[in-house]
Amino acid sequence: MLITGIKSRPVYDELTPMTSGLGHVTAAQGSGGKPLVRLLGEMNPDQLAATTVLYSTESFTGQNYLADIQKFKVCGLIVFPANADAVRGLDAFLATAKMGTRLYISGSEGFIGTSMQVATSYGMNRDEVLREHAGSFSRRVWCAHCSHYSENVTRRVFACPGCELNLIVRDHYSGRLAAFQGVKADSEVPGELPENEELDT
Amino acid sequence: MTAIPESAAFKTDETYTPEGEYQFRNSPEGVRRLPFPFPDDDYMYSMNLEPHVPAGDGALRAAFDVDEHYVSECGHRDQMLREMPGVHYLALPHMLEAQWDLLELIFESYARDFPEHFTLTKNGNEWRWQNRLLGIDDSFTFGDPATLPMDPMEYATRQAQGEFVVLEEKDNTLVIGAGMTTQRADYSLQFNLGMSFFEFHGPVPKLHEMGILDRALKFLLRMKPGHPVRRVNWSLTVHPRLETSVETLPEWAPDRVKVNRDNAGDMVYLRIELQPLHRLPRSNAIVFPVRTYLVSLAELVQYAPDWAKRIHRALASLDSELVDYKGFHRYHDAAVEWLSRHDDGAPLATGYPWAPEGIQPGGR
């Protein structure tokens, strides 16, 4: 079973105004505020006036760009204390969004992935969404044995809080689950664990 | 579904699980009809796609092969679906049209190729399906899911050998939209559902660098209904275990360290995958079936000695990255050592066994 070097990790974009959009919504978290501020700076006043900003101040690395975001004259700014709340806020926004809406997501891989789950559920196409990674590459991991999701995983081997098995994190990513795959690390010989390296976070 | 009848030719008491003590064996004829996947002494994978036209009187005679394990394999599928709901069968909501396409393809093929076992009677959209091997006689309205007890794909593939993955064409690639995969070789359907062609091939080494994936995808996107293609693939598994998913890895991976040079013949099974791909007419989806055959190294030696010699040479010279990817680095040496006792080094024919001059099982 291949663990490293698997080519399914998403390739991210750079946020830049999509001129074909009639309305814009951004979903950002923590360090994702930095590319968001850059994006807003590149928008013209009309685009800004048609933009709703969703921002979560929860951050793995303690980055907060709220003060910079507040300087822009956007249609609306909604601030959330937690990433999961921001994802729910995106869901509520898209539920009433019109054709021509363009979505910009920035932040951690887990935040981008869970936001993409919402966008996909509304049938948004890849050419209507831009995603820019920012901050830590800490991983969201799905346990193949108990289906528990672990956030902010930074080591190659960790104990699953769901089933207590030692999992090895594969470089294999599922967009539908918005997570990397964790499998029992010592499945062949119990207790024989591979090297627990730092992930490329 | 009704009870499974006893049948002389079809084994009804086989098991593919440790609880059932792996009561599985092949008849001599069952071995000699296999789609043996080693055309040369050296193995490296390739696209090896060819038109899926009937060939010989073995596994490649029918569009979807049925063999002596049909009844027990369908029983195993039912058991796996009951034991782990939501793990082995999944379909995205928009795949319903492809599900009906697949039901039609399987039932029409079975009824045409095995009329003694299966009958499909159509009166417009009112269909009657008779499966005498499983004792099923159902009528339903084609296209109306309310007239079946479950999803059309689940209904059809519960009565079919092999696993079935349905790929939808989207954004110039193929995306996994549904799967019936109770006999997966080391992957997770839950995890892979929704992945694109390049993504779900991510864990296979060398493919990207060899340019195979690009060519394969271009080829598949040009496929037309009525012109299926096939390829064969293979792996090794310890015990005749069909269900080797990532989810149950902790149950079966420990068996890999139990193999030694003396028990390898009975413990190690060649896992042959026959993959006949079809474009589906209404949905434009592509179905990727993986028809899995299990045969122990000892059965090969006994009933197909030339194939045993061939697999010895192919395994002995196998690229180490492939050994690792296919998951048998723990017992690769033991299997090669055991097989070496049954290889006299005589030259062997090249080509698949269903090709005119291809390698035959030998013996007799």
Side-chain angles (χ1 to χ4, degrees), chain B residues 267-295:
Chain B
M267 276 190 85
V268 176
Y269 280 71
L270 172 63
R271 191 180 178 97
I272 303 174
E273 296 184 350
L274 171 60
Q275 305 169 352
L277 289 84
H278 297 252
R279 174 75 81 173
L280 300 174
R282 298 176 191 79
S283 58
N284 202 41
I286 288 176
V287 61
F288 185 168
V290 180
R291 175 74 166 81
T292 299
Y293 301 85
L294 294 167
V295 58

Side-chain angles (χ1 to χ4, degrees), chain A residues 1 145 174 176 188 192, chain B residues 186 190-191 247 256 330:
Chain A
M1 179 185 278
H145 312 304
S174 166
R176 192 178 76 93
E188 291 181 338
E192 196 176 285
Chain B
D186 209 2
Q190 301 179 85
F191 192 78
E247 282 86 342
R256 290 170 167 173
R330 295 264 187 189

Side-chain angles (χ1 to χ4, degrees), chain B residues 10 42 60 93 153 223 225 242 261 294 325:
Chain B
F10 289 87
D42 292 313
L60 294 173
M153 176 169 172
M223 276 183 72
L242 277 176
R261 56 187 57 195
L294 294 167
Y325 158 63

Side-chain angles (χ1 to χ4, degrees), chain A residues 1-2 6-8 142 144-145 147 170 172-174 176-177 179-181 183-184 187-189 192, chain B residues 186 188 190-193 195 199 202-203 208-209 246-247 249-250 253-254 256-257 324-325 329-330:
Chain A
M1 179 185 278
L2 218 63
I6 298 170
K7 297 167 184 67
S8 62
W142 172 76
H145 312 304
S147 291
R170 304 178 74 196
H172 199 19
Y173 184 86
S174 166
R176 192 178 76 93
L177 303 186
F180 286 87
Q181 188 180 86
V183 300
K184 190 174 185 233
S187 58
E188 291 181 338
V189 181
E192 196 176 285
Chain B
D186 209 2
S188 163
Q190 301 179 85
F191 192 78
N192 284 18
L193 192 70
M195 277 193 192
E199 287 169 344
H208 298 259
E209 292 78 2
V246 163
E247 282 86 342
L249 180 78
R256 290 170 167 173
V257 296
D324 194 32
Y325 158 63
H329 64 280
R330 295 264 187 189

Side-chain angles (χ1 to χ4, degrees), chain A residues 91-131:
Chain A
D91 198 333
F93 182 90
L94 292 179
T96 59
K98 296 190 166 57
M99 291 286 285
T101 298
R102 298 292 180 265
L103 169 63
Y104 309 78
I105 308 170
S106 58
S108 71
E109 197 155 44
F111 180 76
I112 294 174
T114 47
S115 299
M116 273 307 291
Q117 288 178 320
V118 172
T120 305
S121 76
Y122 287 97
M124 292 193 82
N125 289 326
R126 277 307 319 277
D127 57 1
E128 298 168 321
V129 184
L130 289 177
R131 312 171 298 180

